[in-house]
């Protein structure tokens, strides 16, 4: 059976950071045909209606049909502590994050939060996330089980920490290696699930643990590796004192085999010249977490890096202050404005879809609408509130019509979500 979605269809034929807004393709009266979980065709509504006369029709009028959002850096275990008041990074970890992550020693609690988290993000149009779990192997089982039952493509890994974390949240170099390997073999490549090697960040891993995870990553070169890099200046000073031999923060990873293509670094705000050059040379990915970087007071990411390496966009739940990629795009816009750059709506939308997919090296599968791609898509109401509707009345093109939703939209803008070709309630 073919499903045919009709509406304004937005897809990308290039990278708007390189090619400008012409990298986007807008079909005002467009259609997307879905068959067996994949996009079968994309084109003018009239053409596809003639080609698929038997198809089940879903007419969305002027609403926008896009690839689902991809949130490239989240901590699903921090769902319940999102929007906690008044701390900066290290204090925030000790006060809110670590006590909450301790609760994941209970697999039933992990399952409850994993299910709650994926329902929250799906309702906001996010169809893929790349998540940290906790130190507990069962927290990885929980998020993969929850994703599998929803048919989602997701990335996740056991967070490894063998120092500077409370009793109960520490593993060792050896157990981190053993547990990660077991989880990787159990889940990686099953259905739409991908395991990610996940040292939390250099302050909570000894060089021995980083080396063990570097060795594991070498054994499974097609996996991603995720960690944090240069988020706050206090953190960077701490890393310098913990790793006196290292040239800089990136070197603490590089020295242990944790820098190459497939490395996904969250935040990456306060980079040295050497770090920037090495990240570009190595083909690493960076993830911009703008609501987190303002909420925890970390700093302003340099978006000009998007011209030189893969940059994804993320909420960083629960350091970020919102589960939705719409306010995350809005924050990316505002942060760039503070650095003197005005991001075009095409660039913002691309970051939340194709850019994140590229950063996670799955852009041949998800993050865009094109024949053969997996059918993860969303339907977006461009007039979801009276305030947004009135701001779009004089719009003369899609970008003017879309920008108020980027800046002011929330879950009310997401009217339908499709995961692997199946419609889910939004
Ligand atoms: N650095 C190390 N762990 C974390 C975390 O959980 N959240 C954020 N924002 N930064 C981190
Ligand atoms: Zn993070």
């Amino acid at each position: 059976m073919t499903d045919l979605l009709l509406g304004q269809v937005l897809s990308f034929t290039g990278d708007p950071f390189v090619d400008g807004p012409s990298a986007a393709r807008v079909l005002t009266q467009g259609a997307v045909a879905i068959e067996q979980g994949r996009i079968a065709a994309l084109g003018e509504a009239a053409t596809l209606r003639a080609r698929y006369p038997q198809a089940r029709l879903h007419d969305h009028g002027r609403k926008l049909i896009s690839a689902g959002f991809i949130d490239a850096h989240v901590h699903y275990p921090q769902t319940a502590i999102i929007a906690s008041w008044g701390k900066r990074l290290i204090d925030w970890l000790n006060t809110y994050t670590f006590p909450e992550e301790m609760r994941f020693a209970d697999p039933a609690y992990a399952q409850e939060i994993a299910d709650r988290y994926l329902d929250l993000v799906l309702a906001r149009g996010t169809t893929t996330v790349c998540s940290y779990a906790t130190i507990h192997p069962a927290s990885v089982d929980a998020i993969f089980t929850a994703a599998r039952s929803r048919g989602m493509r997701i990335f996740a890994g056991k967070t490894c920490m063998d120092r500077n974390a409370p009793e109960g949240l520490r593993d060792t170099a050896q157990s981190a290696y053993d547990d990660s390997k077991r989880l990787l073999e159990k889940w990686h490549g099953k259905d739409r699930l991908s395991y990610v090697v996940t040292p939390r960040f250099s302050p909570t891993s000894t060089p021995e643990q980083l080396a063990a995870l570097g060795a594991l990553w070498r054994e499974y070169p097609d996996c991603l590796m995720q960690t944090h890099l240069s988020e706050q200046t206090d953190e960077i000073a701490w890393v310098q004192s913990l790793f006196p031999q290292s040239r800089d923060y990136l070197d603490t990873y590089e020295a242990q085999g944790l820098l190459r293509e497939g490395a996904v670094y969250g935040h990456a705000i306060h980079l040295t010249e050497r770090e920037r050059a090495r990240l570009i040379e190595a083909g690493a990915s960076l993830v911009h977490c703008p609501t987190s970087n303002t909420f925890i007071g970390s700093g302003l990411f340099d978006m000009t890096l998007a011209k030189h390496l893969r940059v994804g966009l993320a909420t960083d739940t629960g350091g970020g202050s919102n589960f939705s990629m719409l306010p995350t795009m809005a924050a990316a816009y505002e942060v760039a404005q503070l650095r003197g750059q005005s991001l075009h709506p095409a660039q913002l939308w691309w970051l939340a879809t194709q850019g994140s997919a590229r950063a996670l090296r799955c852009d041949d599968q998800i993050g865009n609408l094109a024949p053969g791609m997996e059918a993860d898509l969303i339907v977006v109401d461009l007039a979801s509130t009276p305030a947004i509707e009135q701001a779009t009345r004089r719009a003369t093109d899609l970008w003017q019509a879309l920008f108020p939703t980027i800046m002011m939209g929330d879950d009310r803008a997401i009217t339908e979500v499709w995961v692997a070709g199946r419609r889910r309630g939004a």
Side-chain angles (χ1 to χ4, degrees):
M1 186 69 186
T2 308
D3 285 289
L4 195 60
L5 278 68
L6 309 178
Q8 299 202 69
V9 176
L10 172 59
S11 61
F12 290 95
T13 52
D15 174 350
F17 284 90
V18 177
D19 311 318
S22 68
R25 177 178 177 218
V26 181
L27 297 164
T28 310
Q29 292 189 306
V32 183
I34 299 175
E35 281 175 347
Q36 293 173 345
R38 289 184 186 271
I39 295 170
L42 199 71
E44 296 296 340
T47 312
L48 292 201
R49 286 184 75 156
R51 195 189 306 170
Y52 298 97
Q54 313 290 347
R56 236 182 339 232
L57 280 185
H58 309 265
D59 190 350
H60 295 291
R62 302 280 299 161
K63 294 196 177 98
L64 183 72
I65 301 170
S66 158
F69 298 136
I70 299 172
D71 192 340
H73 178 125
V74 308
H75 301 255
Y76 93 82
Q78 297 170 15
T79 295
I81 56 139
I82 195 167
S84 291
W85 182 83
K87 301 286 182 188
R88 293 172 66 85
L89 179 61
I90 304 306
D91 232 11
W92 175 84
L93 285 171
N94 288 322
T95 309
Y96 298 121
T97 308
F98 290 160
E100 178 62 15
E101 292 191 10
M102 298 270 240
R103 300 181 66 167
F104 285 69
D106 173 6
Y109 185 68
Q111 197 60 62
E112 178 193 336
I113 298 293
D115 284 309
R116 184 194 304 173
Y117 172 72
L118 290 185
D119 286 341
L120 284 166
V121 300
L122 276 173
R124 284 153 183 77
T126 297
T127 46
T128 287
V129 299
C130 183
S131 186
Y132 292 63
T134 64
I135 199 87
H136 314 96
S139 72
V140 176
D141 294 334
I143 191 71
F144 280 143
T145 301
R148 189 181 228 177
S149 73
R150 290 163 178 78
M152 295 172 76
R153 176 167 291 290
I154 77 154
F155 298 79
K158 176 193 125 73
T159 295
C160 301
M161 299 194 273
D162 67 345
R163 64 169 162 177
N164 294 320
E167 178 67 37
L169 277 191
R170 288 194 307 268
D171 49 16
T172 65
Q174 189 64 44
S175 73
Y177 174 91
D178 293 341
D179 286 345
S180 301
K181 183 167 177 148
R182 197 171 43 74
L183 289 162
L184 191 159
E185 290 190 338
K186 179 173 178 185
W187 293 108
H188 189 61
K190 302 275 159 62
D191 293 340
R192 306 181 78 199
L193 312 175
S194 297
Y195 190 83
V196 187
V197 177
T198 308
R200 180 174 216 123
F201 68 156
S202 290
T204 50
S205 288
T206 58
E208 293 69 35
Q209 180 169 79
L210 295 176
L213 294 173
L216 178 65
W217 195 29
R218 262 193 303 282
E219 289 173 48
Y220 298 91
D222 72 310
C223 277
L224 299 176
M225 186 288 300
Q226 64 181 345
T227 190
H228 297 82
L229 177 66
S230 295
E231 181 176 359
Q232 290 207 342
T233 49
D234 293 359
E235 172 209 9
I236 296 167
W238 192 22
V239 169
Q240 259 157 12
S241 72
L242 289 168
F243 295 82
Q245 258 64 281
S246 295
R247 287 170 288 187
D248 47 40
Y249 197 155
L250 183 64
D251 198 28
T252 63
Y253 299 128
E254 189 175 354
Q256 308 301 346
L258 295 170
L259 170 64
R260 62 168 165 84
E261 210 181 304
V264 182
Y265 301 103
H267 306 280
I269 302 168
H270 310 282
L271 300 175
T272 65
E273 271 314 307
R274 190 201 83 87
E275 288 173 315
R276 289 166 69 101
R278 278 297 292 136
L279 287 163
I280 292 167
E281 190 178 44
S285 301
L286 303 184
V287 185
H288 181 23
C289 307
T291 62
S292 170
N293 295 344
T294 52
F295 184 75
I296 314 187
S298 304
L300 309 176
F301 181 79
D302 177 8
M303 194 45 89
T304 63
L305 282 163
K307 283 204 170 66
H308 307 288
L309 41 66
R310 300 164 203 236
V311 176
L313 187 66
T315 60
D316 189 30
T317 292
S321 50
N322 207 295
F323 292 106
S324 167
M325 291 299 276
L326 290 170
T328 306
M329 283 182 247
Y333 178 77
E334 291 170 346
V335 165
Q337 284 283 67
L338 287 169
R339 296 195 62 134
Q341 194 189 359
S342 300
L343 296 180
H344 191 277
Q347 293 174 320
L348 294 166
W349 207 267
W350 183 87
L351 280 171
T353 53
Q354 184 79 349
S356 282
R358 253 191 6 154
L360 301 176
R361 297 203 305 179
C362 56
D363 49 315
D364 55 340
Q365 295 162 311
I366 54 170
N368 200 7
L369 301 182
M373 303 276 287
E374 296 170 0
D376 288 349
L377 35 89
I378 55 176
V379 179
V380 186
D381 181 357
L382 301 181
S384 59
T385 68
I388 295 174
E389 186 278 327
Q390 62 84 40
T392 62
R393 273 184 218 160
R394 292 182 200 142
T396 56
D397 64 20
L398 174 70
W399 305 123
Q400 289 174 16
L402 181 55
F403 195 55
T405 289
I406 290 176
M407 294 309 299
M408 297 194 282
D410 54 31
D411 51 322
R412 289 168 290 181
I414 309 299
T415 61
E416 212 164 87
V417 179
W418 291 67
V419 176
R422 297 173 77 157
R423 191 181 147 177
R424 293 192 54 89

